[in-house]
């Protein structure tokens, strides 16, 4: 590929110049044309090198980092935990009210049963120990002067 340098005596080897061999251009298929909006074509930049050559190409803008999204002052996890706590407190309060209601209902039913027993028991006592002289049905036994002799009742 490269030409071999000439062999000289050591005194002449102080300065040695190598000329690069140009590579043949690669045969390539033409690039397809892509329709570009008129305002989207970037500007072409040209640079003059110190040896006088001009290099022309598109100016590349440096990649801009994506803008950081503003973080909310409170994290979403903290908000979710707080809402869960509020829901738990609401459920506990509801359960407390439910147990209170059940306790009050049980006490009311107990008092009604006790009241019914007292009223019904009083009515039965009045029937048995009542002072009314006339009763329908039943046997009346008046014991005044009873004499008990030898386990027999004589009245």
């Amino acid at each position: 590929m490269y030409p071999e340098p000439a062999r000289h005596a050591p005194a002449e080897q102080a300065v040695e110049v190598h000329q690069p061999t140009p590579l043949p251009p690669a045969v390539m298929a033409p690039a397809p044309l892509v329709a570009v909006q008129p305002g989207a074509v970037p500007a072409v930049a040209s640079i003059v090198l110190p040896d006088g050559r001009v290099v022309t190409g598109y100016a590349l803008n440096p990649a801009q980092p994506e803008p950081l999204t503003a973080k909310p002052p409170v994290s979403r996890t903290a908000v979710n935990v707080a809402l869960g706590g509020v829901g738990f407190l609401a459920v506990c309060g509801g359960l407390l009210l439910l147990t209170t209601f059940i306790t009050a209902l049980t006490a009311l039913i107990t008092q009604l049963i006790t009241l019914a027993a007292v009223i019904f028991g009083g009515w039965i006592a009045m029937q048995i120990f009542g002072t009314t002289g006339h009763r329908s049905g039943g046997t009346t036994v008046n014991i005044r002067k009873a004499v008990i002799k030898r386990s027999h009742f004589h009245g």
Side-chain angles (χ1 to χ4, degrees):
M1 280 184 143
Y2 293 108
E4 196 170 306
R7 306 261 177 208
H8 298 288
E12 293 178 14
Q13 285 187 353
V15 175
E16 196 173 307
V17 177
H18 295 280
Q19 295 294 329
T21 305
L23 296 174
V27 179
M28 296 176 53
L33 293 175
V34 179
V36 179
Q37 297 295 332
V41 177
V44 177
S46 296
I47 299 174
V48 179
L49 297 176
D51 62 355
R53 292 181 295 164
V54 177
V55 178
T56 304
Y58 293 107
L60 297 176
N61 294 330
Q64 298 291 330
E66 291 185 21
L68 296 174
T69 56
K71 282 190 168 184
V74 178
S75 70
R76 300 185 125 222
T77 304
V79 171
N80 290 339
V81 168
L83 289 177
V86 169
F88 181 73
L89 287 176
V91 168
C92 287
L95 289 176
L96 181 64
L97 289 176
L98 182 64
T99 55
T100 305
F101 174 75
I102 291 173
T103 304
L105 186 63
T106 304
L108 176 68
I109 291 172
T110 304
Q111 288 177 359
L112 288 178
I113 290 173
T114 305
L115 181 64
V118 167
I119 291 174
F120 186 69
W123 181 75
I124 290 177
M126 289 297 293
Q127 294 296 321
I128 293 174
F129 301 114
T131 57
T132 57
H134 185 281
R135 276 193 225 144
S136 60
T139 304
T140 304
V141 178
N142 293 321
I143 300 175
R144 302 255 171 159
K145 296 178 183 176
V147 178
I148 299 174
K149 292 184 180 177
R150 296 184 191 157
S151 299
H152 291 328
F153 177 74
H154 300 280

